[in-house]
Amino acid sequence: MPPRRSARPHMPGYGILPADGGSGLLPWFWAERRLADSHEYWVATVRPDGRPHLMPVWGVWLREALWFSSSVQSRKYRNLAAGPACTVATDDAHHPVVLDGTAGVVTEAPAIADFLAALNEKYATAYAADFLDPAVNATFRVVPDSVFALSDEDFTGTPTRWTF
């Protein structure tokens, strides 16, 4: 699902240029490439007491969403089970892409198999299907509500927010 709209985010005090200034708004493919190429992703969730929880994960950009797995015993899983809203960031602080979205647990075997194949290819691993046994490790799919990105080569002229 391509974004419905791209715009310059509101960033008072940073000297951010209008959408047609600097390098202009970043194209969606710029963000998608970084979502696909990131080696690690930082997943932010909220604990039951309201404190933030941030953890690195391996993941893949697949079918217009960010996919990752997590032990069903982990704090991350328990946080997402209680509240599926989360934020995911790529690993490059010079060209960050930050996705706000909703995480859902995937239980369909063909979809899990597709994720596992993409994960094995990306990370040169050979995890077997039992690695993503839903009783042990949940597969999450984060569908974006909005995505923010910028390039530090033109900090004031590239900030872009896409909404879906």
Side-chain angles (χ1 to χ4, degrees):
M1 151 182 54
R4 291 190 191 132
R5 179 176 174 261
S6 62
R8 194 68 90 207
H10 182 63
M11 297 171 63
Y14 287 95
I16 302 303
L17 299 171
D20 60 355
S23 300
L25 296 174
L26 294 168
W28 176 239
F29 71 81
W30 188 95
E32 273 197 309
R33 186 174 76 238
R34 281 157 181 80
L35 285 164
D37 292 347
S38 187
H39 192 272
E40 286 83 29
Y41 303 84
W42 290 91
V43 177
T45 61
V46 179
R47 298 171 195 260
D49 64 4
R51 292 180 301 137
H53 181 259
L54 182 67
M55 290 299 292
V57 299
W58 280 3
V60 296
W61 179 252
L62 179 67
R63 298 182 190 143
E64 305 294 328
L66 196 284
W67 297 59
F68 65 92
S69 64
S70 178
S71 165
V72 298
Q73 299 299 316
S74 72
R75 167 53 50 204
K76 177 172 55 258
Y77 173 87
R78 294 190 316 263
N79 290 348
L80 291 170
C86 64
T87 299
V88 180
T90 56
D91 61 0
D92 181 358
H94 297 285
H95 306 97
V97 178
V98 181
L99 181 156
D100 286 325
T102 304
V105 174
V106 177
T107 57
E108 301 81 18
I112 293 172
D114 289 348
F115 165 59
L116 185 61
L119 191 74
N120 281 334
E121 180 179 341
K122 180 175 182 176
Y123 295 100
T125 56
Y127 294 129
D130 64 337
F131 176 72
L132 292 178
D133 175 353
V136 179
N137 284 315
T139 297
F140 283 100
R141 179 177 184 263
V142 182
V143 177
D145 297 321
S146 67
V147 174
F148 167 87
L150 63 79
S151 172
D152 71 356
E153 283 100 20
D154 185 4
F155 179 85
T156 61
T158 59
T160 304
R161 181 175 319 280
W162 296 270
T163 53
F164 295 80

